[in-house]
Amino acid sequence: MRDFLMKTYGFQSSDILLITDEEHGSTQVRPTRKEMFNAMAWLVKGAKMHDSLFFHYSGHGGQSPDASGKEADGMDEVIFPVDYDQRGEADSDIIDDELHEALVDTLAPGVRLTAIFDSCHSGTVLDLPYLHSAHGRLRGLGHISKRTQRRGVAPSADVICFAACKDDETSADTREGNVAVGAMSYVSSFFFGLLFRALLKLFSGIYRLSFRQ
């Protein structure tokens, strides 16, 4: 994805912060819980009207019981930092509430954030107020958390999130160069230059025909 953004859209390496659990030397920043929040803060810091931000997560996702009673299905959608098992703490994952606060709440009006979550159970991982199905249709509002309902309005910024699957589904992998890669990330790297409507239509066909998710 990093190479795609640089080659296709002319991003400079200084425009991109990459954290990965792959070994690339002693200076490589690893996606621990702390560093993931640092990276999200780096992304949104100083963003102003007409700025365009891009966030991509490819990794493990899951669900955990919602203790607050704010989720419509009783579950929080979560992503897992690399130190999740090591920490062994109840709050060592990153839940949808925290992702919304870190990536959406602080954005100024007129900022565009495009997010891709290539992970299991990622359908409403940003807790945005509207959800479109893979067919492009607006889904009913029953999925919206009570917290989002109380907000009453969409974010003042322009935020769109592409998720690899629904909240109750797991995401698919495919193989490229004999390496397992997330299907969502693989498709995105080819077709993200299309208009969002065309991309949604394309994803609908590819995912429903090629991947069981």
Side-chain angles (χ1 to χ4, degrees):
M1 186 62 70
R2 178 178 182 273
D3 291 342
F4 168 75
L5 292 172
M6 294 176 65
K7 292 177 181 178
T8 305
Y9 290 106
F11 279 80
Q12 302 300 311
S13 59
S14 58
D15 297 326
I16 300 172
L17 178 59
L18 174 68
I19 56 176
T20 176
D21 59 354
E22 296 179 357
E23 297 297 333
H24 291 293
S26 59
T27 60
Q28 178 65 49
V29 178
R30 300 179 72 245
T32 62
R33 192 176 199 275
K34 177 182 177 181
E35 292 298 343
M36 290 175 73
F37 277 107
N38 286 343
M40 288 185 275
W42 171 87
L43 178 65
V44 303
K45 182 179 180 180
K48 57 187 182 300
M49 183 175 289
H50 305 309
D51 284 348
S52 182
L53 312 179
F54 185 86
F55 177 87
H56 174 238
Y57 172 79
S58 181
H60 293 297
Q63 291 182 305
S64 63
D66 170 39
S68 69
K70 296 176 181 178
E71 293 288 348
D73 61 356
M75 303 294 288
D76 281 320
E77 283 64 56
V78 305
I79 59 175
F80 297 108
V82 71
D83 59 345
Y84 170 74
D85 289 333
Q86 300 169 16
R87 289 165 55 88
E89 300 172 3
D91 62 348
S92 58
D93 53 13
I94 300 175
I95 67 174
D96 46 13
D97 309 54
E98 296 174 304
L99 289 168
H100 187 97
E101 291 172 3
L103 290 172
V104 180
D105 277 350
T106 61
L107 292 179
V111 175
R112 156 64 66 86
L113 169 65
T114 302
I116 294 179
F117 282 86
D118 191 357
S119 54
C120 297
H121 308 288
S122 53
T124 62
V125 73
L126 271 191
D127 265 347
L128 298 178
Y130 303 106
L131 182 67
H132 289 263
S133 70
H135 300 273
R137 295 189 295 268
L138 181 67
R139 289 183 57 187
L141 302 184
H143 71 280
I144 298 178
S145 68
K146 295 177 183 177
R147 178 181 55 261
T148 303
Q149 292 173 6
R150 283 199 296 269
R151 291 191 189 110
V153 296
S156 58
D158 184 7
V159 182
I160 184 169
C161 177
F162 291 97
C165 58
K166 299 177 183 178
D167 286 346
D168 59 353
E169 294 178 333
T170 56
S171 60
D173 283 339
T174 185
R175 300 194 71 82
E176 170 62 15
N178 204 34
V179 176
V181 295
M184 184 73 169
S185 299
Y186 179 68
V187 172
S188 299
S189 66
F190 277 97
F191 300 113
F192 208 77
L194 301 176
L195 294 174
F196 287 130
R197 182 175 298 177
L199 181 62
L200 186 60
K201 182 178 180 180
L202 178 64
F203 276 170
S204 173
I206 290 176
Y207 273 90
R208 283 186 285 113
L209 292 175
S210 302
F211 303 108
R212 297 185 62 185
Q213 61 184 61

